[in-house]
Short mmCIF file of all heavy atoms in Angstrom, two decimals:
data_model
loop_
_atom_site.label_atom_id
_atom_site.label_comp_id
_atom_site.label_asym_id
_atom_site.label_seq_id
_atom_site.Cartn_x
_atom_site.Cartn_y
_atom_site.Cartn_z
N ALA A 1 -31.46 50.45 -19.13
CA ALA A 1 -30.56 51.25 -18.38
C ALA A 1 -29.17 50.50 -18.07
O ALA A 1 -28.10 51.19 -18.09
CB ALA A 1 -31.13 51.82 -17.27
N ALA A 2 -29.32 49.20 -17.92
CA ALA A 2 -28.10 48.45 -17.56
C ALA A 2 -27.35 48.05 -18.69
O ALA A 2 -26.36 47.39 -18.47
CB ALA A 2 -28.63 47.30 -16.64
N GLY A 3 -27.77 48.28 -19.89
CA GLY A 3 -27.08 47.89 -21.09
C GLY A 3 -27.55 46.66 -21.76
O GLY A 3 -26.85 46.02 -22.65
N GLY A 4 -28.70 46.16 -21.47
CA GLY A 4 -29.29 45.07 -22.09
C GLY A 4 -29.35 43.84 -21.21
O GLY A 4 -29.11 43.97 -20.04
N PRO A 5 -29.82 42.66 -21.88
CA PRO A 5 -29.96 42.55 -23.48
C PRO A 5 -31.19 43.26 -23.81
O PRO A 5 -32.27 43.04 -23.26
CB PRO A 5 -30.07 41.01 -23.52
CG PRO A 5 -30.52 40.46 -22.16
CD PRO A 5 -29.88 41.50 -21.10
N TYR A 6 -31.11 43.90 -25.06
CA TYR A 6 -32.18 44.78 -25.43
C TYR A 6 -33.21 43.94 -26.06
O TYR A 6 -34.46 44.34 -26.07
CB TYR A 6 -31.54 45.86 -26.43
CG TYR A 6 -30.53 46.69 -25.82
CD1 TYR A 6 -29.28 46.78 -26.44
CD2 TYR A 6 -30.86 47.53 -24.66
CE1 TYR A 6 -28.37 47.73 -25.92
CE2 TYR A 6 -29.89 48.21 -24.10
CZ TYR A 6 -28.48 48.35 -24.66
OH TYR A 6 -27.75 49.26 -24.16
N ASP A 7 -32.89 42.84 -26.75
CA ASP A 7 -34.04 41.99 -27.24
C ASP A 7 -34.81 41.45 -26.10
O ASP A 7 -36.15 41.38 -26.41
CB ASP A 7 -33.42 40.87 -28.08
CG ASP A 7 -32.40 40.02 -27.33
OD1 ASP A 7 -31.92 40.44 -26.25
OD2 ASP A 7 -31.93 38.92 -27.82
N ARG A 8 -34.28 41.20 -25.04
CA ARG A 8 -35.17 40.78 -23.93
C ARG A 8 -36.12 41.93 -23.38
O ARG A 8 -37.25 41.76 -23.02
CB ARG A 8 -34.33 40.14 -22.76
CG ARG A 8 -35.24 39.64 -21.68
CD ARG A 8 -34.55 38.73 -20.78
NE ARG A 8 -35.37 38.15 -19.81
CZ ARG A 8 -35.27 38.20 -18.50
NH1 ARG A 8 -34.14 38.68 -18.06
NH2 ARG A 8 -36.07 37.71 -17.73
N ALA A 9 -35.46 43.15 -23.32
CA ALA A 9 -36.12 44.36 -22.93
C ALA A 9 -37.40 44.54 -23.89
O ALA A 9 -38.50 44.93 -23.43
CB ALA A 9 -35.33 45.55 -22.87
N LEU A 10 -37.19 44.33 -25.16
CA LEU A 10 -38.25 44.54 -26.19
C LEU A 10 -39.30 43.49 -25.91
O LEU A 10 -40.54 43.83 -26.02
CB LEU A 10 -37.58 44.45 -27.52
CG LEU A 10 -38.69 44.53 -28.67
CD1 LEU A 10 -39.29 45.99 -28.70
CD2 LEU A 10 -37.93 44.24 -29.99
N GLU A 11 -39.01 42.32 -25.61
CA GLU A 11 -39.95 41.33 -25.40
C GLU A 11 -40.82 41.47 -24.12
O GLU A 11 -42.03 41.37 -24.13
CB GLU A 11 -39.25 39.87 -25.17
CG GLU A 11 -40.07 38.74 -24.87
CD GLU A 11 -39.32 37.51 -24.42
OE1 GLU A 11 -38.23 37.26 -25.12
OE2 GLU A 11 -39.58 36.78 -23.46
N LEU A 12 -40.21 42.18 -23.07
CA LEU A 12 -40.81 42.54 -21.88
C LEU A 12 -41.78 43.67 -22.05
O LEU A 12 -42.86 43.65 -21.56
CB LEU A 12 -39.80 42.75 -20.77
CG LEU A 12 -39.06 41.60 -20.33
CD1 LEU A 12 -37.83 41.98 -19.28
CD2 LEU A 12 -39.87 40.54 -19.53
N ILE A 13 -41.33 44.73 -22.76
CA ILE A 13 -42.29 45.89 -22.86
C ILE A 13 -43.42 45.53 -23.75
O ILE A 13 -44.53 46.03 -23.63
CB ILE A 13 -41.46 47.01 -23.36
CG1 ILE A 13 -42.22 48.40 -23.27
CG2 ILE A 13 -40.86 46.89 -24.79
CD1 ILE A 13 -42.68 48.74 -21.89
N LYS A 14 -43.20 44.68 -24.76
CA LYS A 14 -44.20 44.33 -25.61
C LYS A 14 -45.30 43.46 -24.73
O LYS A 14 -46.56 43.51 -25.01
CB LYS A 14 -43.73 43.64 -26.87
CG LYS A 14 -43.19 44.50 -27.90
CD LYS A 14 -42.89 43.79 -29.14
CE LYS A 14 -42.50 44.84 -30.30
NZ LYS A 14 -42.26 44.05 -31.61
N LYS A 15 -44.85 42.55 -23.94
CA LYS A 15 -45.75 41.70 -23.05
C LYS A 15 -46.61 42.63 -22.22
O LYS A 15 -47.64 42.49 -22.02
CB LYS A 15 -44.86 40.66 -22.42
CG LYS A 15 -45.64 39.87 -21.47
CD LYS A 15 -44.86 38.88 -20.72
CE LYS A 15 -45.73 37.88 -19.90
NZ LYS A 15 -44.84 36.91 -19.18
N ALA A 16 -45.78 43.63 -21.64
CA ALA A 16 -46.45 44.66 -20.69
C ALA A 16 -47.76 45.30 -21.44
O ALA A 16 -48.81 45.42 -20.97
CB ALA A 16 -45.54 45.68 -20.16
N MET A 17 -47.40 45.62 -22.64
CA MET A 17 -48.48 46.33 -23.48
C MET A 17 -49.67 45.42 -23.80
O MET A 17 -50.85 45.84 -23.91
CB MET A 17 -47.93 47.02 -24.71
CG MET A 17 -46.99 48.07 -24.57
SD MET A 17 -46.22 48.76 -25.94
CE MET A 17 -45.59 50.32 -25.53
N ARG A 18 -49.35 44.18 -24.02
CA ARG A 18 -50.48 43.09 -24.17
C ARG A 18 -51.21 42.94 -23.02
O ARG A 18 -52.43 42.82 -22.93
CB ARG A 18 -49.94 41.89 -24.70
CG ARG A 18 -49.20 41.86 -26.09
CD ARG A 18 -49.08 40.50 -26.64
NE ARG A 18 -48.22 39.72 -25.79
CZ ARG A 18 -46.88 39.63 -25.88
NH1 ARG A 18 -46.27 40.41 -26.91
NH2 ARG A 18 -46.11 38.85 -25.11
N LEU A 19 -50.56 42.83 -21.83
CA LEU A 19 -51.15 42.62 -20.54
C LEU A 19 -52.03 43.83 -20.19
O LEU A 19 -53.11 43.58 -19.48
CB LEU A 19 -50.13 42.27 -19.51
CG LEU A 19 -49.48 40.96 -19.56
CD1 LEU A 19 -48.22 40.98 -18.53
CD2 LEU A 19 -50.33 39.72 -19.25
N ASN A 20 -51.69 45.08 -20.48
CA ASN A 20 -52.32 46.26 -20.14
C ASN A 20 -52.54 47.17 -21.34
O ASN A 20 -51.71 48.14 -21.60
CB ASN A 20 -51.60 47.09 -18.97
CG ASN A 20 -52.36 48.32 -18.65
OD1 ASN A 20 -53.68 48.35 -18.98
ND2 ASN A 20 -51.77 49.28 -17.90
N PRO A 21 -53.54 46.87 -22.18
CA PRO A 21 -53.65 47.63 -23.38
C PRO A 21 -53.97 49.17 -23.07
O PRO A 21 -53.82 50.01 -24.03
CB PRO A 21 -54.99 47.03 -24.09
CG PRO A 21 -55.13 45.64 -23.49
CD PRO A 21 -54.51 45.82 -22.03
N ASN A 22 -54.35 49.54 -21.96
CA ASN A 22 -54.51 50.87 -21.50
C ASN A 22 -53.28 51.35 -20.79
O ASN A 22 -53.47 52.12 -19.77
CB ASN A 22 -55.82 51.06 -20.67
CG ASN A 22 -57.07 50.70 -21.31
OD1 ASN A 22 -57.39 51.23 -22.41
ND2 ASN A 22 -57.79 49.65 -20.81
N TYR A 23 -52.16 51.07 -21.40
CA TYR A 23 -50.94 51.25 -20.70
C TYR A 23 -50.64 52.83 -20.69
O TYR A 23 -51.13 53.67 -21.57
CB TYR A 23 -49.68 50.61 -21.41
CG TYR A 23 -49.69 50.93 -22.90
CD1 TYR A 23 -49.23 52.06 -23.39
CD2 TYR A 23 -50.15 50.07 -23.79
CE1 TYR A 23 -48.98 52.37 -24.73
CE2 TYR A 23 -50.17 50.19 -25.18
CZ TYR A 23 -49.64 51.37 -25.65
OH TYR A 23 -49.67 51.62 -27.00
N PRO A 24 -49.87 53.27 -19.54
CA PRO A 24 -49.55 54.65 -19.46
C PRO A 24 -48.50 55.09 -20.55
O PRO A 24 -47.75 54.18 -20.99
CB PRO A 24 -48.90 54.71 -18.11
CG PRO A 24 -48.50 53.39 -17.68
CD PRO A 24 -49.40 52.43 -18.44
N PRO A 25 -48.34 56.41 -20.78
CA PRO A 25 -47.47 56.78 -21.88
C PRO A 25 -46.00 56.44 -21.65
O PRO A 25 -45.24 56.24 -22.57
CB PRO A 25 -47.59 58.29 -21.85
CG PRO A 25 -48.92 58.63 -21.18
CD PRO A 25 -49.23 57.46 -20.36
N TRP A 26 -45.56 56.15 -20.51
CA TRP A 26 -44.09 55.91 -20.28
C TRP A 26 -43.73 54.49 -20.82
O TRP A 26 -42.61 54.25 -21.10
CB TRP A 26 -43.71 56.05 -18.83
CG TRP A 26 -44.20 55.01 -17.81
CD1 TRP A 26 -45.31 55.04 -17.08
CD2 TRP A 26 -43.63 53.73 -17.49
NE1 TRP A 26 -45.43 53.88 -16.24
CE2 TRP A 26 -44.49 53.17 -16.49
CE3 TRP A 26 -42.42 53.05 -17.86
CZ2 TRP A 26 -44.23 51.87 -15.93
CZ3 TRP A 26 -42.24 51.78 -17.35
CH2 TRP A 26 -43.08 51.22 -16.42
N TYR A 27 -44.74 53.55 -20.97
CA TYR A 27 -44.46 52.41 -21.73
C TYR A 27 -43.94 52.68 -23.15
O TYR A 27 -43.05 52.00 -23.59
CB TYR A 27 -45.70 51.53 -21.84
CG TYR A 27 -46.17 50.85 -20.65
CD1 TYR A 27 -45.98 51.15 -19.30
CD2 TYR A 27 -46.83 49.55 -20.81
CE1 TYR A 27 -46.43 50.54 -18.26
CE2 TYR A 27 -47.26 48.88 -19.66
CZ TYR A 27 -47.08 49.43 -18.38
OH TYR A 27 -47.52 48.72 -17.30
N LEU A 28 -44.52 53.63 -23.75
CA LEU A 28 -44.02 54.07 -25.24
C LEU A 28 -42.66 54.62 -25.18
O LEU A 28 -41.85 54.33 -25.97
CB LEU A 28 -44.95 55.09 -25.80
CG LEU A 28 -46.39 54.51 -26.11
CD1 LEU A 28 -47.35 55.68 -26.41
CD2 LEU A 28 -46.29 53.65 -27.27
N GLY A 29 -42.25 55.28 -24.05
CA GLY A 29 -40.95 55.81 -24.02
C GLY A 29 -39.96 54.69 -23.81
O GLY A 29 -38.84 54.84 -24.48
N SER A 30 -40.29 53.81 -23.12
CA SER A 30 -39.38 52.56 -22.82
C SER A 30 -39.19 51.74 -24.22
O SER A 30 -38.15 51.37 -24.65
CB SER A 30 -40.00 51.69 -21.86
OG SER A 30 -38.98 50.62 -21.53
N LEU A 31 -40.41 51.61 -24.89
CA LEU A 31 -40.38 50.87 -26.20
C LEU A 31 -39.56 51.67 -27.27
O LEU A 31 -38.66 51.12 -27.95
CB LEU A 31 -41.78 50.79 -26.71
CG LEU A 31 -41.93 50.11 -28.11
CD1 LEU A 31 -41.45 48.63 -28.03
CD2 LEU A 31 -43.35 50.05 -28.55
N ARG A 32 -39.71 52.93 -27.35
CA ARG A 32 -38.90 53.88 -28.22
C ARG A 32 -37.41 53.65 -27.84
O ARG A 32 -36.62 53.40 -28.87
CB ARG A 32 -39.32 55.28 -27.90
CG ARG A 32 -38.38 56.33 -28.66
CD ARG A 32 -38.89 57.66 -28.43
NE ARG A 32 -38.98 57.98 -27.12
CZ ARG A 32 -37.90 58.40 -26.45
NH1 ARG A 32 -36.64 58.51 -26.78
NH2 ARG A 32 -38.05 58.83 -25.20
N LEU A 33 -37.01 53.77 -26.62
CA LEU A 33 -35.67 53.58 -26.39
C LEU A 33 -35.00 52.36 -26.67
O LEU A 33 -33.97 52.09 -27.22
CB LEU A 33 -35.40 53.86 -24.87
CG LEU A 33 -35.36 55.41 -24.44
CD1 LEU A 33 -35.27 55.41 -22.89
CD2 LEU A 33 -34.27 56.06 -25.03
N THR A 34 -35.77 51.12 -26.50
CA THR A 34 -35.41 49.89 -26.75
C THR A 34 -35.20 49.78 -28.34
O THR A 34 -34.21 49.15 -28.67
CB THR A 34 -36.42 48.82 -26.41
OG1 THR A 34 -36.78 49.12 -25.01
CG2 THR A 34 -35.98 47.45 -26.64
N TYR A 35 -36.08 50.14 -29.08
CA TYR A 35 -35.80 50.16 -30.59
C TYR A 35 -34.54 50.97 -30.92
O TYR A 35 -33.84 50.47 -31.85
CB TYR A 35 -37.00 50.75 -31.36
CG TYR A 35 -38.24 49.83 -31.52
CD1 TYR A 35 -39.56 50.32 -31.23
CD2 TYR A 35 -37.92 48.51 -31.90
CE1 TYR A 35 -40.61 49.49 -31.41
CE2 TYR A 35 -39.19 47.60 -32.05
CZ TYR A 35 -40.42 48.29 -31.89
OH TYR A 35 -41.48 47.37 -31.94
N ILE A 36 -34.33 52.11 -30.29
CA ILE A 36 -33.14 52.93 -30.55
C ILE A 36 -31.89 52.07 -30.29
O ILE A 36 -30.89 51.99 -31.08
CB ILE A 36 -33.19 54.26 -29.83
CG1 ILE A 36 -34.18 55.14 -30.56
CG2 ILE A 36 -31.79 54.82 -29.97
CD1 ILE A 36 -34.43 56.39 -29.72
N TYR A 37 -31.92 51.44 -29.05
CA TYR A 37 -30.66 50.68 -28.67
C TYR A 37 -30.49 49.44 -29.63
O TYR A 37 -29.41 48.97 -29.85
CB TYR A 37 -30.94 50.11 -27.31
CG TYR A 37 -30.84 51.21 -26.28
CD1 TYR A 37 -31.74 51.19 -25.12
CD2 TYR A 37 -29.95 52.36 -26.26
CE1 TYR A 37 -31.67 52.10 -24.11
CE2 TYR A 37 -30.04 53.25 -25.39
CZ TYR A 37 -30.81 53.25 -24.32
OH TYR A 37 -30.82 54.15 -23.27
N LEU A 38 -31.59 48.98 -30.16
CA LEU A 38 -31.46 47.85 -31.07
C LEU A 38 -31.15 48.32 -32.58
O LEU A 38 -31.03 47.51 -33.54
CB LEU A 38 -32.73 47.00 -31.08
CG LEU A 38 -33.04 46.26 -29.91
CD1 LEU A 38 -34.52 45.62 -29.94
CD2 LEU A 38 -32.09 44.91 -29.92
N LYS A 39 -31.06 49.71 -32.64
CA LYS A 39 -30.83 50.24 -33.99
C LYS A 39 -31.98 50.02 -34.99
O LYS A 39 -31.81 50.04 -36.17
CB LYS A 39 -29.39 49.85 -34.55
CG LYS A 39 -28.36 50.02 -33.63
CD LYS A 39 -26.86 49.83 -34.34
CE LYS A 39 -25.73 49.98 -33.45
NZ LYS A 39 -25.81 51.17 -32.49
N ARG A 40 -33.12 49.82 -34.44
CA ARG A 40 -34.33 49.66 -35.20
C ARG A 40 -34.99 51.14 -35.33
O ARG A 40 -36.14 51.43 -34.79
CB ARG A 40 -35.19 48.58 -34.67
CG ARG A 40 -34.68 47.30 -34.90
CD ARG A 40 -35.43 46.15 -34.10
NE ARG A 40 -36.82 46.15 -34.56
CZ ARG A 40 -37.71 45.23 -34.12
NH1 ARG A 40 -37.32 44.28 -33.28
NH2 ARG A 40 -39.00 45.25 -34.54
N TYR A 41 -34.36 51.94 -36.03
CA TYR A 41 -34.82 53.45 -36.03
C TYR A 41 -36.19 53.53 -36.71
O TYR A 41 -36.98 54.44 -36.29
CB TYR A 41 -33.89 54.25 -36.60
CG TYR A 41 -32.41 54.17 -36.03
CD1 TYR A 41 -31.27 53.69 -36.75
CD2 TYR A 41 -32.26 54.50 -34.65
CE1 TYR A 41 -30.07 53.52 -36.13
CE2 TYR A 41 -31.04 54.28 -33.99
CZ TYR A 41 -30.00 53.91 -34.80
OH TYR A 41 -28.79 53.81 -34.10
N ASN A 42 -36.53 52.88 -37.76
CA ASN A 42 -37.80 53.00 -38.52
C ASN A 42 -38.95 52.51 -37.52
O ASN A 42 -40.01 53.01 -37.78
CB ASN A 42 -37.69 52.11 -39.72
CG ASN A 42 -36.90 52.70 -40.88
OD1 ASN A 42 -36.67 53.97 -40.80
ND2 ASN A 42 -36.42 51.76 -41.81
N ASP A 43 -38.58 51.54 -36.69
CA ASP A 43 -39.72 51.18 -35.75
C ASP A 43 -39.84 52.29 -34.56
O ASP A 43 -40.87 52.39 -34.02
CB ASP A 43 -39.39 49.90 -35.02
CG ASP A 43 -39.45 48.69 -36.10
OD1 ASP A 43 -40.39 48.73 -36.90
OD2 ASP A 43 -38.51 47.77 -36.10
N ALA A 44 -38.77 52.92 -34.31
CA ALA A 44 -38.68 53.86 -33.08
C ALA A 44 -39.50 55.17 -33.51
O ALA A 44 -40.09 55.72 -32.72
CB ALA A 44 -37.38 54.33 -32.87
N ILE A 45 -39.50 55.65 -34.85
CA ILE A 45 -40.05 56.86 -35.20
C ILE A 45 -41.58 56.97 -34.86
O ILE A 45 -42.02 57.85 -34.24
CB ILE A 45 -39.85 57.23 -36.62
CG1 ILE A 45 -38.23 57.50 -36.83
CG2 ILE A 45 -40.57 58.32 -37.24
CD1 ILE A 45 -37.79 57.55 -38.28
N PRO A 46 -42.47 56.04 -35.39
CA PRO A 46 -43.79 56.04 -35.09
C PRO A 46 -44.17 55.95 -33.62
O PRO A 46 -45.09 56.58 -33.02
CB PRO A 46 -44.44 54.85 -35.90
CG PRO A 46 -43.33 54.01 -36.17
CD PRO A 46 -42.18 54.83 -36.20
#
């Protein structure tokens, strides 16, 4: 939301998913947005 750095945001959300494999759906929403901000659209779609 603050404009990045998005690569760090990606690192944090992926770490959160590793720490809690039963993560709530909003983690995926955050991961999707991070990929979009990084222009990694092929990763964002799935």
Side-chain angles (χ1 to χ4, degrees):
Y6 301 126
D7 54 348
R8 185 163 181 233
L10 180 62
E11 177 185 323
L12 290 171
I13 190 62
K14 284 188 171 183
K15 182 179 180 181
M17 290 175 165
R18 291 194 302 272
L19 289 167
N20 179 17
N22 298 300
Y23 52 81
W26 69 266
Y27 281 32
L28 291 169
S30 186
L31 179 61
R32 170 181 56 84
L33 285 175
T34 308
Y35 278 138
I36 291 172
Y37 292 143
L38 288 168
K39 303 188 188 308
R40 291 173 55 175
Y41 304 117
N42 289 335
D43 291 319
I45 291 171

